[in-house]
């Protein structure tokens, strides 16, 4: 008998597993090397979720699983590419590209290209982008013979979002309208007709939109059992990243594909489920155990990102949610001795000044602007800060890509104010007029000519007693009269409203409402009250315009109400507009107007401070984070609290914001706020602050040192010195 000695390492583990043991912590190792079967992995913030999924795929390949029998569903194709690239490095395999990795939509497209003919689509179908989809819907609105003038009918992009939300949540359109768009309830039948015609038109022309990829993938699996069995047999292992953000349609597709092997590993964090507003089904992660009762549960709780002090606050905050998988993040990093700072500020201006000052101090101490971020619940919370940063030449980027004053709805309202201060602003007039039904470029041009005929051509026209809409022309006056010869009165009679009244518009009712608005804006009661003027603009029909034009109308209305509160600080409309000009002219590149459509991302600097909403910040991290406007009524958002279970989603948002910080965390709020009626309102700290033990914070008491601003001539030189 021949003797053969099997050589093994002292650890008793194969070589690959020895390496895994060295490179993973105990919690990660258990997930990566788990036996086949259903698994629910609750991965807390900063606990190495991506690393764990990557090693799991590598482990499966090294266990002999063929790469084309693995499905890896991620929320971005980039994430899948990075994970699989790392898998290739770990395993040395040249076949990793055969793994079915990518977003749900990418994988759906791969399947439908092969089998789309089974449900009536040729394999060469086209995929509509958002603009093409809106064009299709506009055609369907016309074909449906809907009178869009007698009642304001939703724009194509709103119809698009109604249809999309219905598909992704598996709800009928009627239910979506009642729940999310109640102001269109009387138009439900017409919207349903447009949706039906839209679906038929796409099928006739062999095209799909983005949501159709998932919709038809599910239909293919349900209607063609032989195809479902083919893929259920092929995908021996299914992994899903960010499972807490899947919608109902995606969860149902996974269940259909997993019917044979039931080897489904879903990874996510219920405490970071913050996208319910766009169709994510919060219950998917909680019901996973009901659909897979044999599933094994795992938790990743060792956090590599934040200090123990920051995690202490985060753990305490999320503990307030009743519906959750209980977990406690454990810091791997040693204590820094620095508690999260709670910074009450006297008012919003001091809040902005503190944030800007502290950012400059941190940069002087060696923290790059790239390693700092300011996070807020709603975009309008950044208004004052953007102006403060601009004054101090601190370069910044907005994570969403659009600065506050560059958003369409903000520019719409500002354009109304511009024509009051300067009635010769043709761009502002054109922008406003084209929002009125029945008015296009030609008619807008004629209206402006009528206005120009009654305004003067010399000098600068403004709204502070030097002319503009507040100037009454003396009898026999002409357009060549000098400004100095004009007589300004407190009369309610103004030439521009008269010019508008004399113009005969095709659609009388909307036109009359617009003229009435202009008269109200220039009245003695409202002139030089920009906050009141913004309120009038909203009441005169612009809020209806928001509802019909944008799917996130509520958020945009909140922005405009915030703009009105900000405007209440100014004595005149002209002062308000002049201050806003800072945002457009004191760039870090050539001056650009606020009215421009291009998104401004910054100039030549090599580092920028990040400004971001909490939703945009998810998945990112910074050394120092400033969470501003942490006041009750601001965070949580009162708009969001109108919905069932919304306080818990707001608390999850809060948790996401806190866990973006690695080293330092600052929570600020103003003690006093001025509303748009110029009334002082006392602010309380957010409930998410007061429900945590005070010992988790270090309270900063601010004192002010008033300094003169640098002479404008020296600003560029100061900027160079600062950036160097």
């Amino acid at each position: 008998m021949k003797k053969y000695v099997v050589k093994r390492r002292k650890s008793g583990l194969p070589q690959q597993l020895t390496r895994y043991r060295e490179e993973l912590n105990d919690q990660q190792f258990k997930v990566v090397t788990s036996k086949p079967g259903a698994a629910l992995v609750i991965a807390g913030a900063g606990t190495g979720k991506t690393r764990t999924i990557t090693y799991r795929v590598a482990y499966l390949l090294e266990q002999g699983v063929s790469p084309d029998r693995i499905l890896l569903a991620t929320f971005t194709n980039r994430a899948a590419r990075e994970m699989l690239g790392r898998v290739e490095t770990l395993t040395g395999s040249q076949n990793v590209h055969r793994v079915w990795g990518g977003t749900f939509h990418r994988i759906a497209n791969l399947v439908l290209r092969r089998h789309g003919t089974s449900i009536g689509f040729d394999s060469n179908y086209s995929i509509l982008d958002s603009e093409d989809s809106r064009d299709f819907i506009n055609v369907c609105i016309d074909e449906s013979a809907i009178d869009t003038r007698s009642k304001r009918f939703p724009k194509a992009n709103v119809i698009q979002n109604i249809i999309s939300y219905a598909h992704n949540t598996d709800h009928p359109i009627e239910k979506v309208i009642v729940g999310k768009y109640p102001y269109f309830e009387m138009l439900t039948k017409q919207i349903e007709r447009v949706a039906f015609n839209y679906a038929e038109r796409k099928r006739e022309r062999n095209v799909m939109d983005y949501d159709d990829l998932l919709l038809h993938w599910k239909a293919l699996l349900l209607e063609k059992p032989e195809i479902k069995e083919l893929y259920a047999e092929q995908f021996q292992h299914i992994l899903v990243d960010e499972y807490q953000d899947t919608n109902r349609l995606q969860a149902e597709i996974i269940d259909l594909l997993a019917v044979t092997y039931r080897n489904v590993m879903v990874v996510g964090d219920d405490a970071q489920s913050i996208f319910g507003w766009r169709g994510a089904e919060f219950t998917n992660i909680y019901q996973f155990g009901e659909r897979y009762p044999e599933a094994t549960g795992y938790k990743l709780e060792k956090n590599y990102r934040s200090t123990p002090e920051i995690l202490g606050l985060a753990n305490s905050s999320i503990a307030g949610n009743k519906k959750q998988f209980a977990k406690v993040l454990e810091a791997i990093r040693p204590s820094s001795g620095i508690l999260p700072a709670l910074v009450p500020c006297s008012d919003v201006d001091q809040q902005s000044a503190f944030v800007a000052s502290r950012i400059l101090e941190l940069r002087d101490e060696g923290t790059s602007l790239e390693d700092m971020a300011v996070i807020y619940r709603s975009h309008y919370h950044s208004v004052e800060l953007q102006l403060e940063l601009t004054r101090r030449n601190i370069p910044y980027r907005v994570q969403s890509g659009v600065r506050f004053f560059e958003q369409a709805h903000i520019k719409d309202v500002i354009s109304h104010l511009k024509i009051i201060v300067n009635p010769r602003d043709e761009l502002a007039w054109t922008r406003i007029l084209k929002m009125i039904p029945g008015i296009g470029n030609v008619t807008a041009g004629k209206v402006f000519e009528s206005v120009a005929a009654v305004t003067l051509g010399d000098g600068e026209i403004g709204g502070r007693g030097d002319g503009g809409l507040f100037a009454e022309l003396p009898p026999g006056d002409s357009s060549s009269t000098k400004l100095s010869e004009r007589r300004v009165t407190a009369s309610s009679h103004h030439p521009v409203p008269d010019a508008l009244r004399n113009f005969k518009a095709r659609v009388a009712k909307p036109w009359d409402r617009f003229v009435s608005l202009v008269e109200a804006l220039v009245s003695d009661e409202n002139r030089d009250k920009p906050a009141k003027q913004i309120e009038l603009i909203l009441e005169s029909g612009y809020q209806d315009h928001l509802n019909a034009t944008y799917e996130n109308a509520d958020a945009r209305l909140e922005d405009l109400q915030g703009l009105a509160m900000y405007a209440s600080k100014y004595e005149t409309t002209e002062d308000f507009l002049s201050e806003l000009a800072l945002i457009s002219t004191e760039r870090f590149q050539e001056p650009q107007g606020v009215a421009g459509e291009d998104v401004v991302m910054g100039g030549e600097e090599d580092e920028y401070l990040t400004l971001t909403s909490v939703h945009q910040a998810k998945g990112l991290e910074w050394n120092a984070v400033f969470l501003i406007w942490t006041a009750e009524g601001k965070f949580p958002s009162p708009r969001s609290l109108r919905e069932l279970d919304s306080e818990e989603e707001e608390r999850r948002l809060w948790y996401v914001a806190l866990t973006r910080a690695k080293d330092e965390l600052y929570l600020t709020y103003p003690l006093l706020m001025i509303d748009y009626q110029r009334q002082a309102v006392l602010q309380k700290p957010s409930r998410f602050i007061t429900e945590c033990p005070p010992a988790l914070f270090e309270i900063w008491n601010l004192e002010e040192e008033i300094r003169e601003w640098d002479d404008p001539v020296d600003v560029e030189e100061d900027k160079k010195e600062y950036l160097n």
Side-chain angles (χ1 to χ4, degrees), residues 406 581-596 598 600 602-603 716:
E406 291 160 356
L582 277 173
I583 284 289
S584 60
T585 56
E586 292 188 23
R587 298 292 186 191
F588 307 104
Q589 55 181 24
E590 69 277 4
Q592 299 190 28
V594 173
D598 294 335
V600 179
E716 286 300 313

Side-chain angles (χ1 to χ4, degrees), residues 704-708:
E704 289 204 358
E705 176 185 342
I706 306 300
R707 299 175 58 188
E708 294 294 331

Side-chain angles (χ1 to χ4, degrees), residues 397-687:
R397 68 167 67 88
V398 179
Q399 190 66 37
S400 64
V402 182
R403 297 187 182 215
F404 183 80
F405 294 106
E406 291 160 356
Q407 298 174 99
H409 58 295
I410 301 297
K411 291 190 288 185
D412 287 344
V413 170
I414 289 175
S415 292
H416 282 80
L417 304 186
K418 283 184 172 182
I419 66 169
I420 296 169
V421 172
N422 176 17
R424 289 186 296 168
D425 189 331
E426 184 175 5
L427 289 176
W429 275 106
T430 302
R431 186 181 188 97
I432 296 167
L433 292 169
K434 287 174 66 177
M435 288 190 290
I436 302 172
I439 293 185
N441 285 323
V442 174
T443 305
K446 292 179 179 178
V447 173
F448 179 73
E449 289 174 4
S450 299
V451 172
V454 297
T455 58
L456 302 178
D458 295 332
E460 180 182 357
I461 299 180
R464 298 179 64 180
D466 56 350
L469 293 186
F470 309 112
E472 182 182 359
L473 299 181
D477 202 355
S478 68
S479 60
S480 61
T481 307
K482 299 289 186 182
L483 273 176
S484 59
E485 299 172 357
R486 302 172 71 176
R487 179 167 60 87
V488 180
T489 73
S491 168
S492 61
H493 176 73
H494 302 290
V496 172
D498 284 348
L500 298 178
R501 285 273 178 215
N502 292 333
F503 189 86
K504 302 300 180 184
R506 183 185 303 174
V507 185
K509 190 174 180 180
W511 178 254
D512 290 343
R513 184 161 65 172
F514 172 67
V515 176
S516 297
L517 169 62
V518 174
E519 289 178 331
L521 294 176
V522 302
S523 69
D524 300 334
E525 180 184 0
N526 300 318
R527 61 176 286 187
D528 280 337
K529 295 180 180 177
K532 179 63 176 177
Q533 289 165 341
I534 293 172
E535 182 184 358
L536 289 171
I537 294 165
L538 291 173
E539 292 174 351
S540 72
Y542 191 76
Q543 188 169 345
D544 294 335
H545 172 78
L546 289 176
N547 291 336
T549 307
Y550 304 107
E551 65 89 18
N552 60 340
D554 284 351
R556 291 176 186 259
L557 176 60
E558 194 176 65
D559 282 348
L560 292 170
Q561 291 168 339
L563 181 68
M565 285 190 292
Y566 178 71
S568 66
K569 300 190 300 183
Y570 294 90
E571 295 296 327
T572 70
T573 304
E574 184 180 10
D575 286 346
F576 174 57
L577 293 178
S578 296
E579 182 77 354
L580 301 193
L582 277 173
I583 284 289
S584 60
T585 56
E586 292 188 23
R587 298 292 186 191
F588 307 104
Q589 55 181 24
E590 69 277 4
Q592 299 190 28
V594 173
E597 295 291 343
D598 294 335
V599 174
V600 179
M601 292 301 293
E604 299 300 324
E605 285 74 15
D606 57 357
E607 57 173 309
Y608 295 90
L609 172 71
T610 295
L611 272 57
T612 177
S613 68
V614 187
H615 286 102
Q616 293 284 341
K618 186 174 180 293
L620 304 175
E621 60 183 40
W622 295 272
N623 290 355
V625 166
F626 295 81
L627 182 55
I628 63 173
W629 278 103
T630 58
E632 189 66 15
K634 302 299 180 183
F635 201 157
S637 163
R639 170 174 53 85
S640 300
L641 291 178
R642 295 197 298 261
E643 301 173 7
L644 188 65
D645 296 329
S646 55
E647 180 177 330
E648 295 216 342
E649 175 146 342
E650 287 291 302
R651 191 176 282 105
R652 292 194 295 271
L653 266 175
W654 179 267
Y655 175 80
V656 167
L658 300 184
T659 54
R660 300 310 94 198
K662 297 164 68 174
D663 302 324
E664 297 187 41
L665 175 63
Y666 301 85
L667 301 112
T668 72
Y669 68 95
L671 292 166
L672 192 68
M673 181 189 74
I674 306 299
D675 66 15
Y676 61 84
Q677 295 178 332
R678 296 193 179 186
Q679 300 294 314
V681 179
L682 292 175
Q683 297 280 112
K684 296 180 179 179
S686 167
R687 67 186 71 179

Side-chain angles (χ1 to χ4, degrees), residues 50 72 74-84 241:
T50 300
L72 171 62
T74 60
F75 263 74
T76 66
N77 288 315
R78 178 182 178 182
R81 287 194 300 269
E82 291 177 351
M83 286 185 196
L84 295 178
D241 189 17

Side-chain angles (χ1 to χ4, degrees), residues 346-363:
S346 60
D347 54 27
V348 66
D349 290 330
Q350 189 182 61
Q351 176 179 248
S352 299
F354 164 74
V355 172
S357 297
R358 185 60 184 149
I359 284 169
L360 291 176
E361 287 179 353
L362 289 172
R363 189 180 185 279

